[in-house]
Amino acid sequence: MKKVFITLSILGISSLAFSMHIMEGFLPVGWAVGWWIVIIPFMYKGIVDISKITKESTETKLMLALSGAFVFVLSALKMPSVTGSSSHPTGVGLGAVLFGPFVMTVLGFIVLLFQAGLLAHGGFTTLGANTFSMAVVGPIISFLVYKSLKKKNQKFAIFMAAALGDLITYCITSIQLALAHPDPIGGFWASLVKFLSVFAVTQIPLAIAEGLLTVVVINALPERFLKRDKGVIINEQN
């Protein structure tokens, strides 16, 4: 039965895997608990960062709310993919560019918590794993990519940050699933290739779309919002 369950997920049955969000009960207890423990320090740093940001100005708070809403809406969209599974953007790149990665860990956790409770998208036992992939690693990659490219071309840096933050989320999910459910014959690597073929490859068009959308959203923000607040990294002078 377990083999059938895993095989169906590998083949892309969205009702079992719910795209990037790992469904309730799909991870063994050890892995589920382990990912919860892993995200604790990132959550702590995110809470500290948010407490500082929310003291700056009302406009910064509005931008923080916008970043959270952006994640909620985009990550709740499930779109059919060429493999028969479903995919969705993550939305974490916007907040990572504006506020840094750890703020998005907290916002992403809250979004995933609501989606698990209200939309049956993901699960409570797998919330730690889903948070790690979408709200820890995704924003960190977005932040690092933006920091490394922003001096050359800011719009290109925003695009790449959002797109790669999106794509790496699905790669991490594939690794998490392969670790928890290695192939009976080929082990971890064989399982990883199968999960990547479902989750990562088909995510590329959506990652590109999210990158473009993030550039549009940031360009649409009033310039005064981006220049007044110290927490907005887009205006750092270094």
Side-chain angles (χ1 to χ4, degrees):
M1 185 63 188
K2 181 179 178 181
K3 292 181 179 178
V4 173
F5 195 58
I6 296 173
T7 302
L8 287 173
S9 293
I10 291 175
L11 289 175
I13 306 302
S14 60
S15 61
L16 292 178
F18 287 109
S19 62
M20 169 250 128
H21 297 338
I22 302 173
M23 63 175 261
E24 182 71 31
F26 194 66
L27 293 179
V29 174
W31 282 110
V33 173
W35 290 117
W36 270 97
I37 295 173
V38 168
I39 68 170
I40 290 175
F42 300 99
M43 290 288 293
Y44 174 78
K45 179 65 168 63
I47 292 171
V48 172
D49 289 352
I50 288 177
S51 67
K52 294 179 181 176
I53 290 172
T54 52
K55 294 177 181 176
E56 293 179 3
S57 71
T58 301
E59 291 176 341
T60 305
K61 295 176 184 176
L62 291 175
M63 291 179 63
L64 194 64
L66 170 67
S67 299
F70 191 73
V71 175
F72 185 86
V73 172
L74 263 65
S75 62
L77 297 174
K78 290 198 294 183
M79 303 176 185
S81 71
V82 294
T83 61
S85 180
S86 64
S87 298
H88 61 78
T90 65
V92 297
L94 175 67
V97 167
L98 294 177
F99 297 106
F102 304 113
V103 167
M104 295 314 297
T105 299
V106 178
L107 296 183
F109 175 84
I110 294 172
V111 166
L112 289 167
L113 180 63
F114 275 96
Q115 289 182 349
L118 301 177
L119 305 177
H121 193 183
F124 294 107
T125 63
T126 58
L127 186 57
N130 289 329
T131 299
F132 182 78
S133 60
M134 192 184 89
V136 174
V137 179
I140 288 176
I141 295 300
S142 292
F143 179 78
L144 294 177
V145 169
Y146 175 76
K147 293 283 285 185
S148 64
L149 297 177
K150 69 174 185 177
K151 291 182 179 178
K152 296 180 180 178
N153 186 308
Q154 192 174 68
K155 290 183 179 178
F156 180 71
I158 294 170
F159 167 78
M160 291 300 295
L164 292 180
D166 176 306
L167 188 60
I168 197 65
T169 295
Y170 282 81
C171 294
I172 296 300
T173 298
S174 299
I175 293 173
Q176 291 172 315
L177 291 171
L179 286 170
H181 301 290
D183 185 88
I185 299 175
F188 166 79
W189 291 107
S191 182
L192 178 61
V193 170
K194 293 175 183 177
F195 280 116
L196 283 172
S197 68
V198 173
F199 289 109
V201 175
T202 58
Q203 187 64 16
I204 293 175
L206 279 180
I208 295 173
E210 181 173 343
L212 294 173
L213 178 62
T214 304
V215 173
V216 171
V217 170
I218 290 182
N219 284 341
L221 291 174
E223 192 173 349
R224 58 190 175 84
F225 279 22
L226 303 177
K227 289 186 174 180
R228 286 185 178 179
D229 302 296
K230 296 178 181 178
V232 180
I233 66 168
I234 196 170
N235 290 295
E236 285 183 349
Q237 299 301 316
N238 57 358

